[in-house]
Structures are given as structure tokens and as C-alpha cells.
Amino acid sequence: ADTRASAAAADPALAGLVESGALVRVPRRRFGPVPAWRPPDFAEPEDVWILGTSHLSAESADEVERVLRAVRPDNVVVELCRSRAGIMYASDDASGEPLLKSNMFSLGGAKFFGAVNRSINLGGQSALALRLLLAVFSSKISSGANRPFGEEFRAARRVSEDIGAQLVLGDRPIEITLERALKSLSWDEKTKLVISLFRGITSTTDMPDEKAAVSPYELYEKLSSSYPSLLQPLVHERDMFMAWSLKRSKAVNKSKTVVGVIGKGHMNGVVYALISDQGDLRFRDLVGRESSETWASSVVKGLVRDTVIGLALWALYELLQAAAVHIKL
């Protein structure tokens, strides 16, 4: 009811988004309690709007523009981190796009080696290897998609600049997410996952999903169905992190209105986190890293890590070679 009334006041054309569940407004009075450790001069936003999008949809880009121009928020929080911020500045032109399509796992940006260094510093080399494998794998299974990835984020960036809203990177660094995902798996599960991804990448037969556009959330769900322990770091923790960014980050302090542009699959989790948070969750709970390990385990992990990195780079090279042949043909 809150969302319907507010959307009607902002722009009656938003009613369809509200009724479909793609647009939700959460007023401050619905938030959980402000934690006692917060500085006394901190004020949470008066209203948080959440727009659920599809990362491979031109329609979602139009919806982002419509909502932002109607609501005119102070801050626009996007489901991206620093390592993936380059998606907002990539070209919308899909023509001539290489086989290795841009996606949520890609090491994008002009300074490639800087992105690699950041990945290693934040998540470690094993997480970098997993990211490379996932980038190649997700590129292959979505090779039939005719839309460039992340159009809604580019729309959010353009409109934010037009209306003078602050753009906020609201997702947890992907390097930390992948590191925590690896730590949630047993050694047997890690081996099984790497082998499964590697087989999928090198397979010459058509994959069942090859003609469909596969979003990161759908890929996370597929992985989590085989490895249930991945659901927490890949989905639930990120829901809480994005809720934190929407109402408790320094960027939104004293804001009147904030709009979050996130994947549809995260909407329920983010809304629940906004409302149910009792103030006892701290930033470090979502980004903490374990540092204690024995010398022996460090050596073993190093050997496994280097093997996985080698396989990932080899698979990447093979896919790029195939792309080059495809372009020549």
C-alpha cells in the first residue's frame, strides 16, 4: 500500500512495476532499530526504493530511467562493486561483440592488470582463478543472448548524472564473495566444482541453457542447488550487504530518498534484511577474512591454487582462440 500510494504520487506510469513486484518502497519507519554504536549525527534515509531488474534486458534499462526521473533520489545504489564498476561505462553496442561476453565475473576496465592485482589482494589467487572460470563458463552458457550485459547499470549512471544523484557501489566486492564461497566448500566439493566448470567450458556440445540468457543470480542458484553451502556467501550475505549500503552506508547519511537498482532475484532478501535487521550486524561480519592457517595447509593450498589458475588461464586461452577463429569465419 505504501508503494502504490507513493508511486502514484511520483508517476502513475509506475503502477505496473509496483503490481508486478518489480518496485518496492520501504519507508524508514519499517527499518529495524538503529544500532547504538552508530554516531549520533547519522540519519538513515527517509525512503528506500528498490527496483528489481534483469541484467540482460533493454526493458529494465527503460524502467530504471523511468523510476529515477520520477522519484529523483539523492542516491542511486547499484548492484556493483569497484571491480565491476566499469560495466556502467561499457558500450551498449552489442554488434561485433566477441565470444567472451562481458558479465558479472569479467575482469573489466582499461587497467586489466590493476584489476587482477585487486582481485588477488582482496580475495586471493584461488578466488581469482574461480572468477576466471566463472567468467568463461557464464560467457559460454549465455552466448545465445543478443543483449549486452548490464544495460540497466549504464542507464542508472546516465540518469544519475542528469538529475544530480550520487551513484553508490552497493554490492560486496566480488573477490571477497568468491573467497568466502570457496571457504564454504569442502576439498571434495572444491575439486568437483572446478572439474564441473572446466568440463562445461571445454565441452564441444551445445549446453541446455546455451540459447537462453543466464543472469548471475540464476547461475548462483544453479551452483547452490549442487552445493547448498554456496547459497549463504553468494546470495544471503550479499542481500544483507546491499541492504546495509541502502540504509547504513556513509554515502546515504541524511539522504531523503535512495533508489536501489538490483537483480530481481535479490529483492526479497534485501527487503527482508532492511526490515528485520536488529542493529547487531556489523560491516566486518560480511567482509571478514580468516587468516589463521598452518604452514602445511598453506603449501597444499598453494599447489591446488596454482593448478586451478593454470586450468583457468588455459580454458580462457582456448575460448579466445575459438573466438578468433569464429570472427575470421
Side-chain angles (χ1 to χ4, degrees):
D2 282 339
T3 305
R4 287 192 186 96
S6 299
D11 182 354
L14 300 182
L17 291 175
V18 177
E19 297 306 321
S20 68
L23 182 64
V24 175
R25 169 182 172 259
V26 184
R28 183 194 294 173
R29 60 183 172 78
R30 298 292 304 277
F31 294 170
V34 178
W37 47 264
R38 255 304 182 196
D41 61 341
F42 182 86
E44 295 177 338
E46 294 179 17
D47 284 304
V48 170
W49 293 74
I50 303 172
L51 175 63
T53 66
S54 170
H55 301 312
L56 289 164
S57 167
E59 184 179 355
S60 281
D62 295 337
E63 292 169 353
V64 167
E65 180 166 4
R66 194 190 322 157
V67 170
L68 294 185
R69 293 195 184 282
V71 176
R72 303 191 71 83
D74 304 303
N75 293 277
V76 177
V77 179
V78 293
E79 186 196 335
L80 293 172
C81 62
R82 180 179 172 186
S83 295
R84 294 169 288 154
I87 291 172
M88 293 187 292
Y89 301 91
S91 171
D92 284 322
D93 184 11
S95 61
E97 191 174 342
L99 181 62
L100 188 60
K101 289 175 176 277
S102 173
N103 55 62
M104 271 294 195
F105 306 103
S106 300
L107 287 165
K111 298 181 179 180
F112 175 79
F113 290 105
V116 171
N117 185 59
R118 175 176 171 78
S119 287
I120 293 174
N121 287 339
L122 280 178
Q125 292 174 324
S126 297
L128 171 61
L130 179 59
R131 182 177 179 182
L132 287 170
L133 283 174
L134 286 169
V136 179
F137 181 74
S138 60
S139 177
K140 180 174 181 178
I141 63 177
S142 61
S143 60
N146 294 320
R147 302 300 315 175
F149 180 86
E151 287 187 85
E152 83 276 28
F153 297 134
R154 292 185 281 280
R157 189 261 305 168
R158 289 193 301 269
V159 179
S160 296
E161 292 172 353
D162 287 345
I163 65 177
Q166 179 180 214
L167 202 60
V168 180
L169 299 173
D171 199 2
R172 182 171 65 182
I174 190 172
E175 300 87 357
I176 294 176
T177 292
L178 293 179
E179 182 202 32
R180 290 172 74 95
L182 279 174
K183 287 182 176 178
S184 72
L185 298 174
S186 66
W187 279 102
D188 288 343
E189 289 175 323
K190 290 176 185 177
T191 303
K192 179 182 174 183
L193 173 61
V194 170
I195 292 174
S196 176
L197 289 174
F198 187 71
R199 285 177 176 171
I201 291 169
T202 57
S203 173
T204 56
T205 58
D206 288 343
M207 302 182 69
D209 297 318
E210 194 160 347
K211 300 304 179 185
V214 178
S215 73
Y217 187 84
E218 291 170 328
L219 180 56
Y220 289 159
E221 281 193 321
K222 291 176 185 295
L223 289 173
S224 299
S225 64
S226 300
Y227 311 94
S229 59
L230 287 178
L231 196 60
Q232 182 69 16
L234 292 183
V235 179
H236 298 326
E237 289 181 3
R238 291 178 57 232
D239 290 345
M240 291 186 285
F241 191 98
M242 286 187 278
W244 176 288
S245 298
L246 286 164
K247 73 171 183 177
R248 294 243 167 91
S249 64
K250 292 181 180 179
V252 302
N253 184 19
K254 296 182 174 64
S255 295
K256 180 180 179 181
T257 307
V258 175
V259 171
V261 179
I262 66 176
K264 289 179 179 178
H266 289 287
M267 284 194 68
N268 287 344
V270 171
V271 171
Y272 178 79
L274 283 172
I275 295 173
S276 65
D277 173 26
Q278 296 302 303
D280 54 355
L281 182 68
R282 290 178 180 266
F283 182 79
R284 63 171 177 260
D285 297 328
L286 298 175
V287 299
R289 300 175 61 187
E290 299 175 8
S291 58
S292 58
E293 62 179 8
T294 65
W295 176 84
S297 65
S298 178
V299 171
V300 173
K301 286 181 180 179
L303 291 173
V304 174
R305 175 199 65 212
D306 293 341
T307 301
V308 173
I309 289 176
L311 290 172
L313 292 176
W314 182 83
L316 180 62
Y317 172 78
E318 288 293 313
L319 196 61
L320 290 175
Q321 286 289 96
V325 172
H326 177 76
I327 291 172
K328 287 180 180 179
L329 293 177

